[in-house]
């Protein structure tokens, strides 16, 4: 592997960052790589004509990147930095960013400029590496040491480049000393503060600063073209065994993308595909998914079809976070939203009314695994007003106020004026629950350490901002389940990010980067590595696709254990069997339903038992994800005069909310 760290350092010293440089556009029409797609011997002209007949269009570039998440955008920028005259990023969603659309995107890195500015000079690459490896080794996992070694040595350069490129202007979540380098208590703590929680400058458009910045850099680069709403459905090799063709579909069009140097698969993980997760994970039935539905892992199958080898052992390494709020609309899906009240004296109980874990354990994995083992994977977060107030005063009350104290999430909060009433509402055994609270309160009074290891004397830890008893005249409970947002399995690569086959041979032309690569981190991943890993390895893939020689003579064969096609069947969760409009009265009906971050209000109009209008009056959806659904679904419902409309890729929840509103309006109009 090249010593990238040294290369980057030298570049930084001698010239402006190349990821910032503007370039000239160049249109490419070279079809030389596509002429061997057919099996018949043909002249170049015949082949070109055949291809033009088969595909609605053919687009060529030096590098084709599949997936516009952090990994794909970083790969495209690096390819240009290393000489690519043209790069096409093909993305199936209507927007860039991938998983970065769903997260505020904590980043991490050791020995960074941010730590230096914060006066934190004691960190080391070795310590970062040890923390990552230790986390990955939990529960029998193991990391790919050479890749982790590369990552820890280059994450700081990437953070520094992003800082120079604009991250220095962003607001951050800071610690009590005002430092931007923080511990991230939602993960197992690092041995040194090295997580960075930058906020996007334009929160209306972006959820994470990393997405905002990469998007700006890609947009500035004339040599990169982003093709949205287009899904790659097949990879093909030419007769030299080079995987340089990607066939994609967009609406009713079939497009052939051809590469001169190589294809980089940055197609993400499979946390949005419960079937695929269930195939490999033993906790599939209690875990809810927080990944976008587009994180379906289909890229893995595409790579297997041309010989790519899965890292099978890690396919079931699916960390779950004990902070999943299940959607009331679509069972099995959810989002990160925990009250965090256990850090101010709250407790977690299971459906038996018992505590089951040290709620303030600094080891995230201990809390995750404990929850996975509870009946139905449910923990009730139990708290009082005093606990809520102390949490907010500590600065950790963001989730509580944003979600659970807002009317939009009221349906998730069970409220009672006595513990008995709370237990009855939760349908858990009253006596057991009362005894659980009594024992807990006694431990708080005694200032001891309880049977789970929760320490009632210690208040200095970021995991224990206040110690309260469960007492008073108002009690609250929120049900939380294990949430999968990231997957650790995937395709195998060598240290150049080339996809390898089952014998370890690199497949010419085919590279992969980001969450789609398996077995890099081990069983669990440390804070901020989920975001920075794809950026660092995307950068490496983009460099190598331009600088490595393109091998020839490879015999392309499918992998022996291709994932079943059934695991990737798209479900149109939005459809209902039949919506009867018989008996609806003419008029306009306003309906309000729960939205992503607040209510969604919709006006539906009927005339002569026909839907004549669907208008979104107000919504609180994440606009980058929901935009296409908000624009297209109302008209599609009017056109179909029904709610059986095609779902919008990546915006299933918004689509379903609109449909749910129309169904509610139909009911209203029948009264
Ligand atoms: C809710 C949530 C919160 C998270 N929070 C954090 C955090 O705070 N810190 C952290 O470090 N990590 C976090 N992660 C993990 C991290 O965000 C992801 O691991 C990382 O962003 C993945 O980047 P990627 O580029 O590899 O893949 P993705 O971002 O998933 O991008 C892959 C892209 O490829 C596209 N694609 C897939 N198949 C095709 C195809 N066949 N054709 C065309 N396009 C295709 C997808 O639509 C997608 O846009 C979080 C993840 C989630 C879901």
């Amino acid at each position: 592997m090249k010593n990238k760290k040294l290369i980057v350092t030298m570049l930084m010293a001698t010239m402006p960052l190349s990821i910032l440089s503007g370039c000239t556009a160049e249109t490419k029409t070279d079809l030389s790589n596509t002429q061997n797609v057919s099996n018949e011997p043909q002249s170049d002209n015949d082949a070109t004509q055949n291809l033009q007949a088969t595909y609605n269009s053919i687009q060529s570039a030096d590098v084709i990147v599949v997936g516009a998440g952090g990994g794909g955008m970083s790969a495209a920028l690096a390819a240009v930095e290393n000489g690519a005259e043209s790069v096409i990023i093909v993305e199936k969603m209507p927007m860039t960013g991938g998983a970065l659309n769903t997260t505020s995107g904590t980043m991490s890195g050791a020995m960074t400029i941010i730590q230096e500015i914060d006066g934190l000079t004691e960190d080391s690459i070795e310590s970062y590496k040890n923390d990552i490896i230790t986390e990955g080794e939990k529960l029998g996992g193991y990391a790919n040491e050479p890749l982790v070694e590369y990552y820890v040595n280059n994450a700081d350069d990437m953070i520094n480049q992003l800082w120079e490129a604009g991250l220095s202007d962003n607001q951050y979540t800071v610690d009590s000393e005002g430092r931007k380098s923080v511990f991230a208590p939602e993960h197992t703590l690092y041995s040194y503060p090295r997580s960075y929680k930058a906020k996007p400058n334009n929160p209306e458009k972006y959820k994470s600063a990393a997405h905002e910045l990469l998007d700006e850099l890609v947009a500035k680069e004339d040599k990169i073209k982003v093709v949205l709403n287009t899904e790659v459905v097949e990879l093909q090799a030419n007769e030299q065994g080079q995987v340089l063709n990607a066939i994609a579909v967009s609406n009713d069009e079939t497009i052939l993308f051809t590469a001169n140097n190589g294809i980089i698969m940055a197609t993400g993980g499979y946390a949005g595909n419960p079937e695929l997760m269930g195939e490999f994970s033993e906790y599939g039935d209690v875990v809810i998914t927080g990944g976008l539905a587009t994180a379906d892992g289909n890229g893995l199958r595409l790579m297997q079809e041309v010989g790519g080898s899965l890292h099978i052992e890690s396919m079931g390494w699916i960390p779950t976070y004990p902070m999943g709020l299940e959607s009331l609309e679509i069972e099995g899906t959810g989002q990160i939203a925990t009250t965090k009240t256990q850090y101010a004296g709250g407790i977690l109980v299971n459906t038996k009314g018992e505590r089951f874990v040290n709620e303030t354990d600094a080891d995230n994995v201990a809390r995750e695994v404990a929850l996975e083992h509870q009946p139905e994977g449910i923990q009730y977060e139990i708290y009082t007003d005093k606990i809520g107030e102390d949490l907010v005063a500590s600065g950790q009350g963001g989730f509580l106020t944003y979600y659970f104290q807002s009317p939009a999430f009221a349906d998730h909060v069970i409220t009672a004026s006595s513990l008995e009433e709370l237990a009855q509402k939760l349908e858990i055994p009253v006596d057991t629950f009362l005894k659980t609270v009594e024992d807990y309160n006694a431990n708080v009074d005694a200032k001891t350490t309880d049977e789970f290891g929760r320490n009632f004397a210690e208040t200095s830890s970021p995991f224990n901002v206040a110690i309260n008893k469960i007492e008073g005249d108002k009690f609250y409970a929120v049900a939380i389940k294990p949430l999968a947002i990231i997957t650790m399995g995937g395709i195998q690569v060598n240290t150049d990010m080339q996809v390898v086959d089952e014998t370890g041979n690199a497949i010419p032309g085919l590279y992969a980067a980001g969450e789609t690569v398996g077995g890099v981190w081990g069983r669990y991943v440390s804070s901020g590595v989920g975001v920075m890993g794809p950026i660092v390895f995307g950068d490496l893939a983009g460099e190598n696709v331009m600088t490595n020689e393109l091998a020839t003579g490879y015999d392309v064969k499918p992998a022996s254990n291709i994932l079943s096609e059934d695991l990737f069947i798209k479900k149109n969760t939005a459809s209902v069997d039949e919506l009867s409009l018989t008996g609806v009265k003419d008029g306009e009906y306003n309906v309000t339903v729960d939205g992503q971050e607040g209510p969604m209000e919709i006006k539906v109009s009927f005339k002569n038992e026909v839907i004549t209008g669907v208008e979104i009056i107000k919504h609180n959806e994440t606009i980058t994800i929901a935009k296409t659904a908000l624009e297209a679904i109302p008209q599609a419902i009017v056109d179909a005069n029904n709610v059986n409309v095609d779902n919008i890729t990546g915006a299933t929840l918004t689509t379903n909310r609109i449909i749910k509103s129309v169904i509610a309006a139909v009911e209203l109009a029948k009264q």
Side-chain angles (χ1 to χ4, degrees), residues 51-83:
L51 285 169
Q52 279 163 349
T54 311
Y55 303 104
N56 297 90
S57 69
I58 300 168
Q59 301 189 31
S60 297
D62 284 343
V63 179
I64 303 294
V65 177
V66 185
M73 289 196 281
S74 172
L77 289 162
V80 170
E81 189 182 339
N82 285 279

Side-chain angles (χ1 to χ4, degrees), residues 67 69-71 91-92 98-99 102-103 106 232 266-268 298 485 514-515 528-531:
E91 168 56 55
K92 66 180 170 182
T102 63
T103 171
T106 302
V232 170
T267 46
N298 81 326
I485 56 174
E515 207 183 314
V529 175
V531 166

Side-chain angles (χ1 to χ4, degrees), residues 66-72 90-93 95-100 102-107 187 230-233 265-269 290-292 294-296 298-299 302 336 483 485-486 513-516 526-532 534:
V66 185
V90 188
E91 168 56 55
K92 66 180 170 182
M93 286 207 281
M95 68 281 187
T96 62
L100 295 176
T102 63
T103 171
S104 50
T106 302
M107 294 175 262
H187 292 268
T230 303
E231 176 169 5
V232 170
V233 292
M265 295 293 282
T267 46
L292 285 169
T294 45
D296 59 6
N298 81 326
L302 302 188
I336 295 180
L483 183 78
I485 56 174
I486 188 170
E515 207 183 314
T516 194
S526 301
S527 163
V529 175
V531 166
M532 284 312 295

